[in-house]
Amino acid sequence: MTAEHQHAQGAPCHHGDSTEPPTVVPQQVLMIEGAGCASCVGKIESALNRVPGVQEASMNFAERTVTVSGEVSSDDLVRAVEQAGYGARAAAQESSAELLDEKEEADRQYYKRLLREMSIALGLGIPLMIYGLAIGEMTVTTTTERVVWALVGLATLAVMLLAGRHFYVGAWKSLRNHSANMDTLIALGTGTAWLYSMVVVMVPDVVPLMARHVYFEATAMIIGLINLGLALEVRARGRTSEAIKRLIGLQARTARVLRDGQEVDIPIEQVQQGDQVRVRPGEKIPVDGVVSDGHSLVDESMLTGEPMPVEKSVDDEIVGGTLNKSGSLLFKATRVGKDTALARIISMVKRAQNSKPPIGRLADVISGYFVPAIMIIAVASALIWLNFGPEPTIAFAVVSATTVLIIACPCALGLATPMSVMVGVGKAAEAGVLIRNGQALQTASKITAMILDKTGTITEGTPKVTEVIPFEDMDEAEVMKLAATLEQGSEHPLAQAIVESARERDIKPGYVDDFNAIAGHGVEGRVEGRSLLFGNEKLMRDREIALDEHLEQAQKMAAQARTPMYLAADGRLLALIAVADPIKEDSVAAIRRLQKDGIRVVMLTGDNRDTAKAVAEQVGIDEFFAEVLPEDKSGKVAELQQQGEIVGMTGDGINDAPALALADVGFAIGTGTDVAIESADVTLMRGSLHGLADAIAVSRATLKNIRQNLFGAFIYNAAGVPVAAGLLYPFFGILLSPVIAGAAMAFSSLTVVTNANRLRLFKPQEH
């Protein structure tokens, strides 16, 4: 027998008996209003982190939401955000369809408002720009021109108040809170252009003749183009929530419940724990439960990514959101509302999408200093033009300062990380991979060594009888009946494999007398008047049972990862039964994927060395450790970390808790049990190791996408600001127009959003 079988029959078990589920920190989500750029993120997070009781506040700029961990009232959080100069309100239950509908409706209204404001601004700006291109100059030289341009200036002011009011309100709030953000840059840029133009119109004598140009068209065009960019960003941003929409779409709206002997349809919110629920063929299973009557095939692919339907019968667990395919099922509701697996998965995916990987905090830190730095650069640029520029110096100074302020808006910088995280986490969820937070997402992309637990991870985790070899004048049925009779009282997996195999053959166990479990060896008893022994080679030798040529046969079984067990009666060997934990069909291919990606794969098991070696050889793993107790697995993780490896640990999420916690990234493989979902860095909803390879592939693709976005945003600002300041003018005579700057700033954000949405096309198994 294996080492596992030996300790199960008398020795103490070490499988994480004392492991407690982790303490879950309460979380709240706030909807933020008035946040215009990445520099707002740091201010809001800092304000919330100063509230007593808050453990962590993390803002998702793309979603305009903040996830707050800690024991604190929502009123205190809202008050802190408002004192920082922004609006906030507490969000409803994260997984509710109502919240998503509310948010989509709010986005639709915001999109319509932005388009309306864009139309107002461009309605004035475009004709003015065409007029300027047609006549070449927009100057004020006559009284008539002063009157006309004064009217245009008032019209531009109306545009500023109607279409750009949110920029100026935001800038004023920032000023009151002694800070600066995107609204500050836009308000300063457009306000400077309008004020200068009005000075030219109202008191032209204070401005040199050559500098009497007006820039009303720049003010209107900038406001229009930025509103257009924001509108396109909102529209593209909505696509990143597709994964959440699909998950919420899995939830049934009604359930057929037995009440007073009658089957009645009720809203899903009214289902109570303990209710008997009927689900017919073709219907979604409304809540989690245990089958009490019926037999059917259930399609769980929408949650696990596993394409094959799973057979369900009495006492089997079923999960809300999955699809009943063939038969009618009656089941007892065990988890309802926000406690169902689907609701918790939606909540976890949403929290992960709102989390921030370490690479994203770089952008937040930079953004905190970015806006003040740009304001200094704008002033410096204006001073240089005033002192060293050609005539009209004041006009050049105004244009360069305005252009610098407009082009440098850090919107793209703020969107670079959260947009990619939202899409990447959602993409992983579609493949049945639940990533807990941004930290895990980033670290998983850097894993260099992966430790795999054998039982239940590489193998199916359920031992099965693979061979029955009678030695005397007996058939297999007789052998299985005797073995099952002895083992029917044991709860050990190997014993259950014997009993289950007998049941599948329609063999009913008999009665056993004088039963005795021999720790580390096997069992004995009297059946039908015969003295039986069933156990390992050591038991046979201790009782002086001759094994003869059958020993070699048993050793071959052990070399093939099968556990040989001997059945003897009245001092004679009757049969040899082989039990094995079958290797999952796709384990070999999945392990090959990991190795192809340059990951060092190591197997750990509590089984004996021969069995471990056989399994390792079959799946192509060169490095393994056998007879390792659960509490010693964390030592193996630490050993690899000391060698400089970034270590991932894959186990069942409970027995391997210490090793999962110590690893750089812990992967819980299984069906998303309570502890696994709440404790693991990454939970694989299906039992396939392909989910593990998919998780790493998605994390690498997401981090690559984030780097592309950050690089683009940094390069955009690094190149755009010097050009806007006039760096190219001495060499090529090029000075960027504020209108061009407004268009460039608006579409830079759209570029980031579009690049992030490319992740939606990523298919992990193809890489």
Side-chain angles (χ1 to χ4, degrees):
M1 293 187 181
T2 65
E4 293 167 348
H5 197 190
Q6 292 167 15
H7 77 238
Q9 300 220 39
C13 180
H14 302 275
H15 287 282
D17 300 351
S18 61
T19 301
E20 295 291 334
T23 302
V24 180
V25 179
Q27 289 190 323
Q28 300 181 56
V29 175
L30 299 181
M31 309 292 289
I32 301 299
E33 299 170 359
C37 68
S39 62
C40 301
V41 174
K43 298 181 181 68
I44 293 171
E45 289 180 346
S46 297
L48 289 170
N49 281 319
R50 288 194 296 268
V51 177
V54 172
Q55 293 187 12
E56 183 184 15
S58 179
M59 180 173 177
N60 184 326
F61 175 64
E63 285 282 276
R64 305 304 196 270
T65 60
V66 181
T67 302
V68 183
S69 302
E71 295 280 359
V72 61
S73 73
S74 58
D75 291 340
D76 290 342
L77 298 176
V78 170
R79 194 177 302 111
V81 174
E82 290 175 345
Q83 289 173 354
Y86 304 92
R89 60 186 175 85
Q93 181 183 327
E94 287 181 79
S95 59
S96 67
E98 290 77 10
L99 175 62
L100 188 65
D101 293 341
E102 177 188 347
K103 186 179 182 304
E104 286 185 342
E105 179 59 29
D107 282 347
R108 276 194 293 270
Q109 295 303 321
Y110 183 43
Y111 177 70
K112 290 179 181 178
R113 195 194 87 192
L114 288 171
L115 289 182
R116 184 168 60 250
E117 292 172 348
M118 175 208 72
S119 300
I120 292 172
L122 295 185
L124 176 65
I126 290 176
L128 287 176
M129 188 174 67
I130 293 173
Y131 174 78
L133 293 173
I135 68 168
E137 297 285 347
M138 287 186 174
T139 57
V140 178
T141 55
T142 67
T143 302
T144 303
E145 286 177 341
R146 287 181 63 189
V147 172
V148 171
W149 285 118
L151 293 174
V152 172
L154 292 176
T156 305
L157 179 62
V159 166
M160 294 167 71
L161 295 176
L162 293 173
R165 181 176 181 274
H166 52 102
F167 299 128
Y168 303 105
V169 170
W172 173 246
K173 287 182 178 179
S174 294
L175 181 63
R176 286 195 313 172
N177 286 278
H178 312 291
S179 62
N181 58 15
M182 175 195 85
D183 294 334
T184 307
L185 297 180
I186 295 172
L188 282 174
T190 56
T192 299
W194 184 82
L195 282 172
Y196 176 80
S197 300
M198 289 303 292
V199 168
V200 169
V201 171
M202 304 305 294
V203 282
D205 293 340
V206 303
V207 180
L209 183 63
M210 293 178 62
R212 293 176 187 176
H213 303 280
V214 292
Y215 298 100
F216 294 126
E217 92 289 355
T219 299
M221 287 295 292
I222 288 168
I223 291 173
L225 289 172
I226 293 175
N227 279 326
L228 173 61
L230 290 173
L232 294 174
E233 174 198 319
V234 169
R235 186 171 183 180
R237 197 173 68 206
R239 300 177 66 195
T240 63
S241 300
E242 287 298 322
I244 291 293
K245 293 175 188 175
R246 277 193 285 269
L247 285 171
I248 290 178
L250 296 177
Q251 294 176 318
R253 298 299 176 95
T254 62
R256 177 166 287 243
V257 178
L258 286 179
R259 294 280 169 86
D260 300 323
Q262 300 290 323
E263 292 185 0
V264 293
D265 290 325
I266 62 173
I268 190 71
E269 295 80 11
Q270 296 179 15
V271 179
Q272 299 176 6
Q273 189 173 345
D275 276 345
Q276 291 291 325
V277 184
R278 172 76 66 185
V279 58
R280 294 167 292 189
E283 292 182 337
K284 290 179 182 176
I285 294 171
V287 295
D288 297 357
V290 176
V291 177
S292 52
D293 184 53
H295 180 275
S296 182
L297 292 175
V298 175
D299 181 0
E300 298 181 340
S301 61
M302 60 283 294
L303 287 181
T304 66
E306 199 70 57
M308 294 300 294
V310 181
E311 191 174 353
K312 300 290 183 180
S313 57
V314 175
D315 293 334
D316 286 337
E317 291 187 0
I318 53 178
V319 180
T322 56
L323 182 64
N324 183 34
K325 297 285 286 185
S326 54
S328 176
L329 293 174
L330 184 67
F331 69 93
K332 178 182 177 181
T334 56
R335 286 184 296 210
V336 298
K338 61 183 177 59
D339 296 323
T340 64
L342 179 58
R344 284 165 43 245
I345 288 168
I346 293 171
S347 178
M348 180 177 176
V349 171
K350 191 68 176 176
R351 289 200 304 267
Q353 287 184 329
N354 284 338
S355 67
K356 192 176 301 179
I359 193 174
R361 301 198 178 275
L362 172 65
D364 293 346
V365 171
I366 291 174
S367 298
Y369 300 97
F370 189 81
V371 174
I374 289 302
M375 295 171 68
I376 293 172
I377 292 172
V379 172
S381 171
L383 290 174
I384 291 172
W385 279 101
L386 283 172
N387 287 281
F388 303 105
E391 292 293 338
T393 56
I394 189 171
F396 280 115
V398 169
V399 170
S400 67
T402 300
T403 306
V404 167
L405 290 170
I406 296 302
I407 202 169
C409 181
C411 285
L413 199 59
L415 292 168
T417 300
M419 294 300 298
S420 298
V421 170
M422 289 175 64
V423 180
V425 169
K427 193 68 182 178
E430 291 176 11
V433 177
L434 305 182
I435 298 174
R436 187 170 181 79
N437 52 46
Q439 173 77 51
L441 179 70
Q442 179 168 335
T443 307
S445 69
K446 300 185 288 187
I447 286 175
T448 59
M450 179 62 68
I451 297 177
L452 303 178
D453 183 49
K454 178 180 77 69
T455 305
T457 301
I458 296 175
T459 66
E460 293 182 4
T462 305
K464 296 180 180 179
V465 173
T466 58
E467 283 183 90
V468 180
I469 306 174
F471 297 139
E472 294 197 354
D473 190 16
M474 298 178 65
D475 57 26
E476 291 187 11
E478 291 178 272
V479 171
M480 289 304 301
K481 182 175 182 179
L482 292 174
T485 299
L486 274 177
E487 293 281 26
Q488 61 185 320
S490 173
E491 295 182 356
H492 188 271
L494 295 181
Q496 291 180 0
I498 299 292
V499 175
E500 181 61 30
S501 179
R503 184 181 296 117
E504 290 174 356
R505 300 166 188 242
D506 294 326
I507 297 172
K508 293 184 178 180
Y511 298 94
V512 59
D513 296 318
D514 302 328
F515 176 81
N516 180 38
I518 307 165
H521 293 69
V523 295
E524 64 178 343
R526 294 188 63 81
V527 177
E528 299 175 358
R530 306 171 73 181
S531 180
L532 295 181
L533 290 171
F534 187 51
N536 59 17
E537 178 186 341
K538 192 171 183 180
L539 175 62
M540 298 297 113
R541 294 196 182 283
D542 286 351
R543 298 301 177 87
E544 298 181 347
I545 305 295
L547 301 181
D548 301 328
E549 71 278 3
H550 306 304
L551 180 60
E552 184 179 349
Q553 194 170 12
Q555 290 172 343
K556 287 181 180 179
M557 290 179 176
Q560 296 171 352
R562 290 177 288 172
T563 301
M565 294 186 288
Y566 301 90
L567 178 65
D570 301 323
R572 301 191 323 276
L573 188 63
L574 296 183
L576 186 62
I577 299 177
V579 176
D581 183 3
I583 294 171
K584 294 175 184 176
E585 290 183 5
D586 53 6
S587 286
V588 175
I591 289 170
R592 192 175 294 121
R593 281 181 66 191
L594 293 172
Q595 293 169 333
K596 187 177 179 181
D597 286 340
I599 295 174
R600 174 183 174 186
V601 181
V602 180
M603 186 183 79
L604 292 184
T605 179
D607 216 332
N608 63 64
R609 181 172 179 80
D610 290 338
T611 302
K613 182 180 179 182
V615 171
E617 288 177 348
Q618 289 180 44
V619 298
I621 294 177
D622 299 324
E623 194 174 355
F624 67 91
F625 298 96
E627 300 178 7
V628 180
L629 296 176
E631 60 265 33
D632 295 331
K633 290 181 180 179
S634 57
K636 298 299 182 184
V637 173
E639 186 179 314
L640 289 180
Q641 289 173 331
Q642 289 169 4
Q643 296 173 17
E645 304 280 9
I646 305 297
V647 181
M649 171 69 197
T650 308
D652 63 11
I654 302 173
N655 293 349
D656 303 309
L660 287 168
L662 183 61
D664 295 289
V665 183
F667 296 84
I669 194 163
T671 54
T673 60
D674 294 347
V675 177
I677 288 178
E678 296 298 340
S679 64
D681 296 314
V682 180
T683 300
L684 310 180
M685 293 298 291
R686 52 177 169 155
S688 170
L689 284 178
H690 276 299
L692 180 62
D694 290 347
I696 294 173
V698 168
S699 68
R700 288 180 175 178
T702 303
L703 262 293
K704 180 179 179 181
N705 194 270
I706 289 174
R707 292 189 186 100
Q708 290 170 347
N709 285 344
L710 288 174
F711 178 79
F714 281 125
I715 290 299
Y716 165 80
N717 285 300
V721 170
V723 172
L727 184 65
L728 298 182
Y729 188 85
F731 306 102
F732 305 104
I734 297 174
L735 183 61
L736 206 61
S737 163
V739 175
I740 300 299
M745 189 279 285
F747 286 99
S748 66
S749 297
L750 183 63
T751 302
V752 167
V753 175
T754 303
N755 186 56
N757 271 305
R758 286 194 311 110
L759 275 174
R760 297 172 69 242
L761 305 176
F762 177 73
K763 296 181 180 179
Q765 295 245 21
E766 293 182 0
H767 293 256

